[in-house]
Amino acid sequence: MFRYVLRKLVNILLSLFVLATATFFLMKAIPGDPFMQEKNVPAAVRENLIKYYGFDKPLWHQYLIYLKNLLNLDLGMSMRQQYQSVVDIITRSFKYSLQLGVVAIIVSVVVGVAIGLIAALYNRKLIDRLIMLAATVGIAVPNFVLATLGQYYFANKLRWFHVAGLHGPMDYVLPTLALSVLPIAFIARLTRSTMIEVLAADYIRTAKAKGLGSLTILIRHALRNGLLPVVSYVGPMTANIITGSVVVESIFGIAGLGKFFTDSVSNRDYTLIMGITLFYAAILMASRFITDIAYAIIDPRIKISKKGG
Amino acid sequence: MKAKLTLLLVSIVASVAVLAGCGNDNSGGAGQEFRMNLGAEPPTLDPALMQDQVSSTVMSGLFEGLTRMENGEAVNAMAEDIAVSEDGLKYTVKIRQDAKWSNGDAVTAHDFEYSWKRTLDPNLNPPAPYAYQLYYIKGAEEYNTNAGGTVDQVGVKATDDLTLEIELKNPTPYFKSLLSFYTYYPVNKAVVSANPAWAAEADTYVSNGPFKLSSWAHSDSIDLVPFEDYYDRDSIKLEKVHFVMISDASTESNMYETDELDWSGKPTGSIPVEQLAQLIQDKNPELVSQPQASTYYYNFNNSKKPFNNAKVRKALSMAIDRQAIVDKVSKGNEVPAFAFVPPGIHGVTKDFRDEITTEYFTENADEAKKLLAEGLAEEGMTAMPEFELSYNEGGVHQPVAEAIADMWNKNLGITVKTQTVEWKVFLQNRTSLAYDVARAGWGADYNDPMTYIDMWITGGGNNDTGFSNAEYDALVKEAYSTQDQQARVDAMAKAEQILIGDNMAIMPIFYSSVNTLVKPHVKNVGIDYKGDIDYTRAYIEK
């Protein structure tokens, strides 16, 4: 187990390094810089800025400086938001995205598994067909449509919610809805198909024959296997949701991380581009790592240590 | 069992849904509160580092310069008296005795001197992008650009706590209004020299204007409350100014409709394009529309064949229908432009546009066709090659470009490729003259035609067309050398005739306007000639 974890960790660090290198050079390759705007600053002022940020040095030199700072865990200052460090910006906005994301994930998993189960239990009956129809629609409708429509009807017309912001518990409802419809639909379909398979399996029949209670069978035997595909879906989904959605956050005016993915690039805020890319990658890899471990724990067929295999 | 289990699952789903069912009332702003959208987080609230309208919208409540603008006139603010020498080069300013900083300190002449010299410091961390707004001051440019000037040679000096002496490079008739501009704000010397990051958070922030910064939730909202020791406290009626930072135009519109905002649209927000057209058509009483001193135009690459030929440029400019563009495409109360300096800019006694001709050319498709043929022949070409019309994303840029390309095609029989280019790439292309025809826009920095004229001198920092004309350069110099307003205006009008009438170096399309939605209970919010908002003397009347 220890060696397995260690190997995974080394892989993660290596991937982060490769990613940092690629992002650095790609980002510098796109035309434009943080100081360009409709009204040009005079050449001499521009020179002062370029010198201050070290853009006059050769690219490899800039890269080495960046790596050195990175090893000291210094992500630098934003070039757009004056006197704001990249770490501060990420921490501050991640708080919003994380809070909203966790709610959305819990709702997605609970509701998704629940309706998936119902559909499986009523396999091929009317309820099942209705649920699967709804799930197909849920997968097909993009979240900006849900967000825009939800905001217009529930906040503007019916006035049940605030249009934007994340200041009270009620403010979570619409963005959560927009974020979780797709994962709910996906999880429901996954749950349904694996549960139908599992419920028909021999060992379930055996369990029934042994006279175990149906609830026990469902939860201890069926669900445990039935949830495996869900777990592998939820890992990467978690990384995506907690790092914020550009669309949902901009529509609901949430000060989360999402908009920085696009804004940092359009502002050519180099330090923030690097910081946010590495942060996202780290979260994604961490969630995959946890998924792998969780998988190993849930699925008795996966053996981690070579000794046991 | 199946039924029981289903019941359990259904109740889980239902309880999640119930969360959504609870009502929520959107009560309007309480009492004297004014709420508007900034559209984005201000990049900075430090006068030295500012260069954008989001920051300046917040700062106009927090800070005050030696003068401030009231109904288009510069009136004394931090200054009690401003004496100007006969040659227009020396300003002696008396600071008012009752001016205070929000931490209780007195505002002194030293704060102004410190602030301006700090902005000009080429080694400021980071250097000030807008430092050039101070280049009117003698020695400022030489110091800021490391061109042999030292800080002691900069023409600003506090001779005592309340006296500031300013020496200018050239006589500048509009210098008093410049003194109200944000680059000329003071900063508290003691606070700023002790903490360079003083402007990053609300709790270390010190300002001298009618309001102070009560909270700054980054990327979310900013609140201002009145500064009790402001010298003109009695004129300040609002108890709170609340700024949100919503980037999505339809969200802003929903917030306005549900009374979560009192103001929507320019200068920092936006009204969705289709909705604005509808509001104008319906003559919505909450829609306030007024001209903005800003020109929307196309750059011709004057250095590239066949756009180096004035006849070709004139042909293109004469072959479009500007009225149709503003009526049917941009649809935001714009005004067709046949010159470059927009209405709203002062001339000698009246508006510059009212004193000088308003049209340097007329639209005429037949004439255009003839000119195009002549121009192409002069360049040794038989037909207009296919070329690119590029613009950046957003606004009405794409529909306007497509309409113009269509008009060119119909009236001149030429093929134009329209192309959307990402903002920074677009700017890079424009600056390096890597384009054929490109969208551009220019808003005033100060209320004088010069803000539109001196940018086109040979090699000018914002002259991204390759236009170069010795007579033009001489006229700009001439206008700079005198403080006789009639002589200045004459020189600048001649220059504009060369720029548009003789050369059509650029193609004017329309003058913009400021469109805003304002709740009827909001009174006394000002929008100036360039579209900046003044909410400091506003009040709510319900």
Side-chain angles (χ1 to χ4, degrees):
Chain A
M1 182 79 179
F2 176 72
R3 281 185 57 179
Y4 175 82
V5 171
L6 195 71
R7 206 173 60 224
K8 287 260 169 201
L9 280 177
V10 169
N11 271 340
I12 288 180
L13 286 178
L14 263 176
S15 316
L16 282 178
F17 169 75
V18 172
L19 182 80
T21 308
T23 311
F24 186 89
F25 288 102
L26 282 173
M27 154 185 105
K28 289 282 184 176
I30 36 175
D33 62 46
F35 326 120
M36 287 200 144
Q37 48 198 303
E38 182 95 55
K39 295 192 177 185
N40 293 328
V41 296
V45 174
R46 209 183 141 73
E47 244 165 67
N48 288 340
L49 285 162
I50 283 176
K51 217 168 78 190
Y52 174 76
Y53 286 108
F55 296 167
D56 52 343
K57 297 189 175 73
L59 203 52
W60 61 266
H61 194 175
Q62 295 180 41
Y63 171 68
L64 290 183
I65 292 173
Y66 187 82
L67 277 193
K68 198 185 109 212
N69 291 339
L70 195 59
L71 287 179
N72 293 324
L73 295 178
D74 174 11
L75 292 176
M77 302 295 282
S78 162
M79 294 174 183
R80 163 93 177 168
Q81 309 293 115
Q82 302 299 336
Y83 291 111
Q84 309 280 342
S85 77
V86 169
V87 172
D88 280 351
I89 292 178
I90 293 179
T91 325
R92 183 164 76 211
S93 38
F94 181 53
K95 201 183 69 196
Y96 289 100
S97 298
L98 182 67
Q99 283 170 356
L100 179 59
V102 166
V103 174
I105 289 163
I106 293 175
V107 170
S108 306
V109 172
V110 171
V111 178
V113 169
I115 60 178
L117 255 182
I118 295 177
L121 290 174
Y122 289 95
N123 188 13
R124 284 159 204 252
K125 301 234 172 64
L126 182 65
I127 297 185
D128 175 35
R129 300 237 155 111
L130 284 179
I131 288 177
M132 281 310 105
L133 181 72
T136 309
V137 173
I139 288 174
V141 177
N143 61 1
F144 72 88
V145 173
L146 278 171
T148 311
L149 290 179
Q151 185 182 60
Y152 185 72
Y153 285 106
F154 297 117
N156 187 344
K157 291 291 147 200
L158 297 172
R159 313 259 166 131
W160 286 357
F161 308 103
H162 287 124
V163 171
L166 206 57
H167 304 291
M170 295 306 298
D171 295 339
Y172 281 77
V173 177
L174 290 178
T176 301
L177 188 79
L179 281 176
S180 45
V181 164
L182 174 75
I184 286 176
F186 219 91
I187 292 173
R189 287 174 62 125
L190 274 177
T191 310
R192 175 185 175 270
S193 59
T194 41
M195 284 309 287
I196 288 175
E197 214 175 287
V198 168
L199 286 174
D202 290 345
Y203 70 92
I204 297 291
R205 223 179 308 152
T206 313
K208 270 187 195 161
K210 279 164 83 178
L212 290 177
S214 9
L215 208 61
T216 321
I217 294 175
L218 194 72
I219 293 177
R220 285 199 48 188
H221 299 274
L223 210 53
R224 194 169 163 192
N225 277 328
L227 281 189
L228 282 175
V230 175
V231 169
S232 56
Y233 170 73
V234 167
M237 176 196 92
T238 303
N240 265 320
I241 290 190
I242 63 176
T243 46
S245 145
V246 187
V247 175
V248 172
E249 287 182 358
S250 83
I251 290 178
F252 291 106
I254 295 163
L257 206 55
K259 67 163 173 289
F260 291 113
F261 286 96
T262 47
D263 283 5
S264 63
V265 179
S266 43
N267 291 327
R268 303 289 189 274
D269 191 343
Y270 296 133
T271 39
L272 189 56
I273 296 177
M274 290 303 293
I276 209 143
T277 309
L278 289 174
F279 180 74
Y280 177 70
I283 296 261
L284 186 68
M285 290 174 195
S287 75
R288 280 188 183 280
F289 177 65
I290 294 169
T291 311
D292 286 348
I293 304 281
Y295 224 84
I297 292 169
I298 300 177
D299 189 347
R301 285 170 300 188
I302 294 185
K303 292 282 176 270
I304 291 168
S305 72
K306 289 214 167 125
K307 256 186 246 165
Chain B
M1 165 256 149
K2 214 155 141 190
K4 235 192 261 171
L5 188 80
T6 308
L7 196 69
L8 175 79
L9 295 172
V10 166
S11 59
I12 291 176
V13 178
S15 64
V16 175
V18 159
L19 253 176
C22 315
N24 199 340
D25 74 313
N26 296 327
S27 49
Q32 294 293 324
E33 183 181 355
F34 176 67
R35 298 157 307 165
M36 69 178 282
N37 181 23
L38 291 176
E41 158 98 344
T44 180
L45 294 180
D46 181 337
L49 302 176
M50 287 169 64
Q51 50 174 335
D52 68 292
Q53 213 164 17
V54 173
S55 304
S56 71
T57 298
V58 180
M59 292 290 275
S60 65
L62 290 172
F63 270 82
E64 200 172 86
L66 292 169
T67 61
R68 63 179 200 88
M69 300 306 286
E70 204 174 80
N71 303 321
E73 295 299 320
V75 296
N76 286 343
M78 284 294 123
E80 191 175 72
D81 178 64
I82 301 176
V84 188
S85 67
E86 216 161 278
D87 58 5
L89 291 173
K90 277 210 173 89
Y91 283 64
T92 308
V93 184
K94 280 276 166 214
I95 311 283
R96 56 184 326 133
Q97 291 188 351
D98 52 355
K100 288 268 190 290
W101 287 105
S102 58
N103 66 350
D105 295 353
V107 176
T108 68
H110 299 285
D111 293 326
F112 280 92
E113 181 187 344
Y114 173 77
S115 176
W116 300 358
K117 286 182 172 169
R118 169 176 178 259
T119 303
L120 288 168
D121 183 354
N123 297 315
L124 181 68
N125 296 335
Y130 247 39
Y132 63 93
Q133 299 289 351
L134 296 167
Y135 287 0
Y136 301 91
I137 299 167
K138 196 179 159 190
E141 183 170 3
E142 290 77 1
Y143 171 50
N144 182 240
T145 58
N146 294 308
T150 66
V151 63
D152 297 323
Q153 288 165 347
V154 176
V156 53
K157 191 158 182 48
T159 50
D160 61 55
D161 278 357
L162 296 176
T163 314
L164 188 70
E165 285 185 354
I166 309 164
E167 208 178 328
L168 301 188
K169 186 159 60 184
N170 293 308
T172 311
Y174 48 90
F175 190 65
K176 271 191 195 175
S177 2
L178 273 178
L179 286 173
S180 71
F181 190 68
Y182 54 76
T183 315
Y184 288 83
Y185 286 158
V187 292
N188 186 310
K189 186 176 174 178
V191 169
V192 177
S193 49
N195 175 16
W198 66 283
E201 305 294 338
D203 45 353
T204 51
Y205 201 80
V206 175
S207 57
N208 72 328
F211 294 91
K212 55 184 187 179
L213 187 60
S214 78
S215 81
W216 183 1
H218 292 282
S219 297
D220 185 55
S221 63
I222 286 180
D223 285 335
L224 311 186
V225 294
F227 169 38
E228 294 305 331
D229 290 329
Y230 178 60
Y231 66 88
D232 193 19
R233 175 67 181 93
D234 293 345
S235 303
I236 310 304
K237 303 284 187 274
L238 291 177
E239 281 152 17
K240 188 177 170 189
V241 182
H242 179 65
F243 296 109
V244 295
M245 304 167 191
I246 302 291
S247 55
D248 190 273
S250 63
T251 302
E252 179 181 329
S253 147
N254 281 327
M255 288 179 81
Y256 180 81
E257 284 173 19
T258 55
D259 287 323
E260 287 176 64
L261 289 176
D262 300 304
W263 181 281
S264 172
K266 283 186 180 178
T268 52
S270 48
I271 302 173
V273 181
E274 331 74 60
Q275 199 186 340
L276 177 60
Q278 192 63 45
L279 290 166
I280 292 173
Q281 203 188 334
D282 296 349
K283 297 198 167 54
N284 188 303
E286 291 178 15
L287 179 74
V288 179
S289 198
Q290 70 178 72
Q292 176 183 24
S294 174
T295 308
Y296 191 100
Y297 60 99
Y298 279 175
N299 273 354
F300 290 124
N301 185 348
N302 285 231
S303 65
K304 186 174 176 182
K305 238 176 159 178
F307 306 101
N308 59 337
N309 187 294
K311 283 181 180 162
V312 172
R313 298 193 297 258
K314 280 184 191 167
L316 291 170
S317 182
M318 287 163 65
I320 65 170
D321 181 352
R322 289 166 177 77
Q323 193 64 49
I325 291 169
V326 302
D327 287 345
K328 300 197 179 103
V329 186
S330 57
K331 295 189 280 195
N333 279 335
E334 295 88 355
V335 177
F338 298 89
F340 186 55
V341 179
I345 298 291
H346 295 320
V348 183
T349 53
K350 290 184 292 182
D351 202 290
F352 179 78
R353 264 299 51 104
D354 290 338
E355 291 173 349
I356 309 301
T357 173
T358 53
E359 299 192 359
Y360 288 105
F361 63 97
T362 46
E363 290 164 353
N364 183 331
D366 295 334
E367 185 70 14
K369 225 172 187 167
K370 231 169 65 194
L371 276 173
L372 182 68
E374 284 174 32
L376 288 175
E378 285 174 18
E379 298 305 316
M381 299 165 106
T382 49
M384 187 74 182
E386 185 181 313
F387 65 90
E388 255 173 33
L389 164 56
S390 48
Y391 50 86
N392 55 301
E393 304 150 305
V396 293
H397 307 327
Q398 183 169 0
V400 167
E402 280 165 359
I404 288 178
D406 196 46
M407 289 169 181
W408 280 340
N409 181 274
K410 220 170 62 200
N411 294 333
L412 300 173
I414 57 181
T415 315
V416 184
K417 218 170 89 193
T418 57
Q419 195 189 15
T420 315
V421 186
E422 192 263 351
W423 180 229
K424 295 271 181 177
V425 178
F426 179 74
L427 291 176
Q428 173 89 59
N429 288 350
R430 228 168 56 182
T431 319
S432 52
L433 292 177
Y435 68 91
D436 297 327
V437 179
R439 183 207 75 85
W442 192 261
D445 281 325
Y446 47 89
N447 198 336
D448 188 273
M450 191 53 95
T451 188
Y452 289 89
I453 296 295
D454 69 354
M455 59 189 283
W456 301 112
I457 55 170
T458 305
N462 280 298
N463 181 354
D464 41 15
T465 61
F467 172 73
S468 169
N469 182 301
E471 204 186 338
Y472 189 94
D473 298 351
L475 285 164
V476 171
K477 224 176 232 164
E478 190 185 318
Y480 263 126
S481 66
T482 171
Q483 55 170 339
D484 174 357
Q485 187 64 358
Q486 185 66 54
R488 294 182 69 249
V489 165
D490 288 347
M492 291 188 285
K494 270 189 215 159
E496 198 187 28
Q497 165 68 37
I498 292 172
L499 180 75
I500 306 294
D502 302 349
N503 286 290
M504 201 70 74
I506 51 166
M507 176 175 106
I509 301 170
F510 57 72
Y511 305 122
S512 304
S513 59
V514 188
N515 296 299
T516 49
L517 278 167
V518 189
K519 292 282 176 191
H521 57 253
V522 176
K523 309 286 177 198
N524 208 28
V525 176
I527 285 279
D528 71 3
Y529 72 100
K530 57 175 167 173
D532 286 345
I533 186 172
D534 180 2
Y535 50 82
T536 60
R537 269 70 182 169
Y539 58 94
I540 306 294
E541 195 176 82
K542 278 189 177 164

